[in-house]
Amino acid sequence: MHILTVNLGDRSYPIYLGEGLLSRTGELLKKAGSGKKVGIVSNQTVADLYLDPVQESLTRSGFRVIPIFVPEGEEHKNLKSLSDIFDRLIGERFDRSSSLIALGGGVIGDLAGFAAATFLRGIPYIQIPTTLLAQVDASVGGKTGVNHQEGKNLIGAFYQPRLVLIDLEVLRTLPRTEFVAGLAEVIKYGIIEDPQLFALLEANLEDLLSLNRGLLEKAVAASCTIKARVVEKDEHEEDYRSVLNFGHTIGHALESLTGYDQFLHGEAVAIGMAQAATISRREGLCDDKSLERILHLIKGAGLPTDLPSGIRLEELANKMEVDKKSVGGKIKFVLCAGIGKTRFHWLSAEDIIARLASIQKKVESENR
Ligand SMILES: NC(=O)c1ccc[n+]([C@@H]2O[C@H](COP(=O)([O-])OP(=O)(O)OC[C@H]3O[C@@H](n4cnc5c(N)ncnc54)[C@H](O)[C@@H]3O)[C@@H](O)[C@H]2O)c1
Ligand SMILES: [Zn+2]
């Protein structure tokens, strides 16, 4: 078992990473000092697979367990589900010493985390992420929240978990498309911070895609370490944490424009990263060889790199989120300066699509 730490003073917490950890939940939670009453927020799919070992382990350690189900899907990461969770917690007389476990992907993690952040002004919570995306990204760093019909993640809070328990075995039941989408975020960490991780992915992509145990552990541990270090530097995304948005300005806009049903998040981010890297090359920040490696790795993972044909760039621009701290409607766009280094450029949405348009023109002329 790997133990990583997110160092945030009195809100520091461990990330336990290994195989077969679900059946050690009780012991690890005890160590973290939780009260006796524990709610497990999950959905039917994940609960059918993994509730039993978690619940048994907790019961063995003397906890009283209350499973709380929410319906499956991003569309249920909303105020209604939150309110249903509160009803259960009140009905079961949860107090401030009780805790919540998020057992599931990022949807469950964000929802349960926000419930924990706000119930009785905050009760402890534990992340047990069961998708690759949640293991390397959503479960670490304390962003919690729900969607509003007007937009994703509009309601939320920064609230750190007490511990994160990553059992790599659960990835064996994850649909391959979900695994590959999560891999996009792992590739992102390599590009923004870690040439060694990038090279590891390049050299072992096939083995990783077949869920080789040792490689999975290395890739997830390296990713969580990077996420932890970034969050330690800038917990509330005042400055440096936006480096994690590499590929996301274009990726988020594309998800929004296509109504969130054409691409998984990681797929849209893969396209965003490929486009951002190409822009970086054109700005003279990224060399040809690095760009080639980035595109090759993304494609090799089975992820897309091109914007879908038929996308209207002006419409894409309308979906780009302007940075809250910007003056004059600029976006803090993350570019890469080779592999492992980034630069922020303040660009307007129009600046970005002008660059995308010129990339598209070049591709078209090459294809002719
Ligand atoms: N808080 C953050 O920092 C952060 C970061 C990135 C993404 N997110 C959020 O995460 C969400 C996306 O998370 P996701 O990609 O994990 O999707 P998800 O939670 O919707 O899970 C994807 C699907 O896989 C199923 N599933 C989960 N684990 C499984 C397993 N082990 N075996 C089989 N099926 C399994 C789920 O039931 C679901 O159908 C979005 O809401 C996004 O906003 C949050
Ligand atoms: Zn992402």
Side-chain angles (χ1 to χ4, degrees):
M1 177 169 78
H2 254 76
I3 306 177
L4 310 168
T5 308
V6 185
N7 296 297
L8 291 167
D10 57 2
R11 286 168 298 108
S12 298
Y13 54 96
I15 303 172
Y16 296 106
L17 195 160
E19 294 224 326
L21 294 189
L22 293 186
S23 55
R24 296 182 59 187
T25 308
E27 161 205 339
L28 296 170
L29 189 55
K30 218 171 190 176
K31 216 162 130 187
S34 164
K36 284 279 168 261
K37 208 177 276 180
V38 181
I40 304 181
V41 181
S42 196
N43 66 26
Q44 199 65 56
T45 307
V46 178
D48 284 349
L49 291 161
Y50 302 116
L51 181 62
D52 283 352
V54 174
Q55 184 160 3
E56 277 161 25
S57 161
L58 287 163
T59 311
R60 252 193 337 264
S61 294
F63 290 100
R64 189 162 103 64
V65 182
I66 294 110
I68 302 172
F69 288 161
V70 291
E72 166 116 20
E74 178 77 36
E75 66 275 25
H76 295 287
K77 193 178 106 176
N78 60 17
L79 289 171
K80 162 83 172 64
S81 302
L82 187 70
S83 172
D84 291 346
I85 295 174
F86 291 148
D87 290 348
R88 285 297 302 283
L89 300 182
I90 292 164
E92 298 283 352
R93 301 185 185 283
F94 269 56
D95 61 29
R96 293 186 77 173
S97 72
S98 317
S99 41
L100 272 189
I101 292 180
L103 177 66
V107 165
I108 294 289
D110 281 11
L111 182 61
F114 189 50
T118 45
F119 186 68
L120 304 177
R121 301 195 179 85
I123 61 172
Y125 80 110
I126 292 92
Q127 290 279 12
I128 307 187
T130 62
T131 63
L132 181 60
L133 179 113
Q135 295 189 342
V136 299
D137 189 359
S139 67
V140 177
K143 276 193 185 178
T144 70
V146 296
N147 303 326
H148 185 272
Q149 62 201 31
E150 292 299 319
K152 274 196 56 155
N153 299 326
L154 288 183
I155 304 153
F158 286 100
Y159 190 62
Q160 301 293 343
R162 290 295 168 93
L163 72 92
V164 181
L165 196 156
I166 300 178
D167 188 336
L168 297 168
E169 252 170 44
V170 303
L171 298 177
R172 303 196 183 277
T173 56
L174 192 64
R176 186 175 164 104
T177 48
E178 294 285 352
F179 180 82
V180 168
L183 212 48
E185 303 284 357
V186 180
I187 295 172
K188 177 189 80 179
Y189 291 122
I191 300 173
I192 62 172
E193 285 269 348
D194 192 344
Q196 259 181 322
L197 170 61
F198 193 92
L200 178 91
L201 299 174
E202 275 179 320
N204 301 284
L205 195 54
E206 281 316 308
D207 287 343
L208 195 61
L209 287 167
S210 47
L211 309 188
N212 173 290
R213 206 174 161 148
L215 279 167
L216 259 184
E217 184 155 343
K218 273 190 195 154
V220 175
S223 300
C224 290
T225 303
I226 294 167
K227 176 96 191 240
R229 295 297 92 86
V230 171
V231 169
E232 286 163 4
K233 262 191 217 168
D234 176 20
E235 186 181 2
H236 298 122
E237 199 166 336
E238 276 149 12
D239 180 22
Y240 189 66
R241 188 165 175 165
S242 11
V243 72
L244 299 172
N245 288 340
F246 180 70
H248 282 62
T249 302
I250 295 169
H252 279 150
L254 184 59
E255 281 183 281
S256 166
L257 185 60
T258 53
Y260 295 96
D261 57 8
Q262 198 172 327
F263 297 101
L264 290 174
H265 173 70
E267 294 167 344
V269 166
I271 294 173
M273 292 195 295
Q275 300 299 317
T278 309
I279 294 174
S280 307
R281 168 69 198 90
R282 299 188 133 215
E283 304 276 300
L285 285 172
C286 177
D287 56 287
D288 282 330
K289 180 71 193 153
S290 299
L291 174 61
E292 200 181 294
R293 287 176 67 195
I294 290 170
L295 297 178
H296 190 255
L297 183 59
I298 296 174
K299 284 181 192 156
L303 288 160
T305 52
D306 294 330
L307 286 167
S309 57
I311 280 282
R312 291 178 49 97
L313 292 179
E314 308 76 59
E315 288 176 5
L316 193 68
N318 288 336
K319 298 288 186 186
M320 284 182 191
E321 284 164 25
V322 170
D323 198 280
K324 290 169 210 83
K325 284 172 228 75
S326 85
V327 193
K330 299 264 173 153
I331 292 164
K332 193 174 178 184
F333 195 77
V334 190
L335 295 162
C336 61
I339 289 160
K341 280 192 229 108
T342 51
R343 296 267 190 291
F344 294 124
H345 279 192
W346 288 96
L347 300 172
S348 66
E350 290 68 34
D351 294 335
I352 296 168
I353 62 155
R355 285 159 177 78
L356 291 175
S358 104
I359 294 169
Q360 279 192 339
K361 224 180 239 155
K362 179 154 179 277
V363 173
E364 276 162 24
S365 74
E366 280 167 2
N367 289 346
R368 227 172 263 142

